[in-house]
Amino acid sequence: MKTATGVLDRAQSPAWWIEAALVVGASFFVALCARVTVPLPFTPVPLTLQNFAVLLVGLALGSRRGFAALALYLAEGACGLPVFNPTGLGGIAQLLGPTGGYLMAYPLVAFVSGFIAERGSKSFRRYAVAAALGEVLLFAGGLAWLSVWTHGSWWQAAHFGLYPFVFAEVVKVMAAAALGTRWPARTTQTPDSNPG
């Protein structure tokens, strides 16, 4: 709710330390999901729960907090903290490896998913669309980088980074949408999305 001066009512906005805790906790949640990784012998891209976590963070926390959490996650990984999937090289090397395009897209994926989710009714349909569009953005970034990594072969990039994951990603989108709609509404609202 906004006051006459356009400033958020302090009683309606969470304290800064709650905001910080949500962002830091979300970055750790993504790191935890990254530990659930299954290497696949026919591709350098593993099957992991990271994508699910990124979508859920965006849907649950909204565009701004989601973006901040995933930017923090990338910073943690770039500094050498063991937050990326354990099958990779870790640190900056992982950002430059075959999964680098997916990783670098994470903050934007969380932002877009959260932006769509927080600007309408809280329904499974809206959240599923938000998560699906986030996935399109995620795979666009991932495949673009993989095509560079494979010396310009889009077919090889799709073979490595798209076809083996379609079914699993549909499940992740549905799961993130279902869980996102159950998240308390106050944590997803932003000043711009509050109609008051």
Side-chain angles (χ1 to χ4, degrees):
M1 181 176 181
K2 294 182 181 178
T3 63
T5 60
V7 179
L8 274 180
D9 185 352
R10 290 180 181 272
Q12 294 289 348
S13 61
W16 70 267
W17 58 271
I18 296 176
E19 298 277 343
L22 284 170
V23 168
V24 172
S27 75
F28 287 155
F29 172 68
V30 176
L32 183 64
C33 287
R35 309 310 290 179
V36 184
T37 298
V38 179
L40 302 175
F42 46 84
T43 173
V45 180
L47 182 63
T48 176
L49 280 184
Q50 270 176 301
N51 297 356
F52 161 77
V54 171
L55 294 173
L56 184 57
V57 165
L59 295 174
L61 298 189
S63 56
R64 294 178 183 178
R65 294 188 197 107
F67 182 91
L70 272 300
L72 176 61
Y73 172 75
L74 293 183
E76 292 164 353
C79 289
L81 294 178
V83 296
F84 296 147
N85 80 71
T87 64
L89 300 172
I92 296 290
Q94 191 141 346
L95 294 175
L96 299 176
T99 60
Y102 301 97
L103 291 170
M104 295 304 291
Y106 279 173
L108 193 54
V109 170
F111 179 86
V112 168
S113 297
F115 184 88
I116 296 169
E118 69 198 5
R119 280 166 171 76
S121 60
K122 191 172 185 180
S123 65
F124 175 80
R125 181 177 179 180
R126 172 174 286 277
Y127 276 43
V129 168
L133 291 176
E135 281 281 288
V136 169
L137 186 60
L138 174 66
F139 277 85
L143 293 176
W145 177 247
L146 269 175
S147 71
V148 172
W149 195 76
T150 57
H151 308 290
S153 172
W154 280 96
W155 179 89
Q156 190 70 24
H159 180 74
F160 280 157
L162 175 62
Y163 302 144
F165 305 102
V166 172
F167 177 76
E169 296 307 311
V170 170
V171 173
K172 292 174 194 176
V173 164
M174 296 298 108
L179 291 173
T181 57
R182 297 176 183 273
W183 192 263
R186 279 184 75 181
T187 58
T188 59
Q189 288 183 341
T190 64
D192 293 336
S193 65
N194 198 332

